[in-house]
Amino acid sequence: MNPAPLFIVMEGTDGSGTTTQGDRLAEALRAQGRSVVRTAEPSPGPIGQMLRAALRDRGPDGFDAQTVALLFAADRTDHVHRCIRPALERGDTVVCDRYLGSSLAFQTVDGDGVVDRAWVLTLNKLALAPHLSIFLDVPPEAAM
């Protein structure tokens, strides 16, 4: 009998090791016989690529905080549709770097403009809830 698919999210500050620990978790799950899909947000999809470009070019002509929040919510919806839900429906376990927790953390305290937390939650109301979110609590000195 195959184990039930899981949707696991790795959250943490920049430099906290979400990618490294997510890779290690994926390896351990594979060693247990699970089929694992590794992914991240912003996603590799078309909206995620646009979002990555917007985040790189955050000059005076860059997107404002509300637009970035909208792009993250659109990317998350597309990511769930293209990658996460199909993987879970196939029986795969999904390990994702960053998800809704990162949007709430970064977008509601962003130095370029604060976005209302309730609004970010509303934008992401249809986001698929993970089975488990792991927050890597690393001191800023270690993350740097």
Side-chain angles (χ1 to χ4, degrees):
M1 186 165 105
N2 291 332
L6 297 171
F7 177 29
I8 303 171
V9 174
M10 306 297 293
E11 299 280 12
T13 60
D14 288 344
S16 65
T18 58
T19 300
T20 300
Q21 296 307 318
D23 289 345
R24 289 179 176 171
L25 175 60
E27 288 173 24
L29 292 168
R30 286 184 186 110
Q32 293 178 355
R34 288 182 177 268
S35 175
V36 179
V37 171
R38 234 1 223 112
T39 191
E41 291 191 355
S43 79
I47 300 169
Q49 290 175 13
M50 180 190 318
L51 186 50
R52 286 176 193 278
L55 293 174
R56 269 193 312 272
D57 304 328
R58 284 191 113 172
D61 296 329
F63 292 126
D64 64 19
Q66 289 80 16
T67 302
V68 171
L70 287 164
L71 283 171
F72 267 105
D75 183 46
R76 182 161 299 121
T77 300
D78 187 60
H79 191 202
V80 167
H81 173 74
R82 289 177 189 263
C83 176
I84 297 169
R85 190 177 312 273
L88 294 171
E89 288 172 355
R90 285 190 310 268
D92 298 337
T93 289
V94 176
V95 178
C96 182
D97 286 4
R98 311 227 184 252
Y99 196 66
L100 179 56
S102 288
S103 286
L104 291 170
F106 287 103
Q107 294 166 10
T108 61
V109 295
D110 187 329
D112 294 335
V114 176
V115 179
D116 181 68
R117 178 181 168 82
W119 186 66
V120 172
L121 285 170
T122 298
L123 291 177
N124 289 278
K125 190 164 84 170
L126 299 177
L128 185 63
H131 294 99
L132 176 66
S133 291
I134 300 171
F135 178 74
L136 301 178
D137 188 10
V138 175
E141 308 81 48
M144 294 177 89

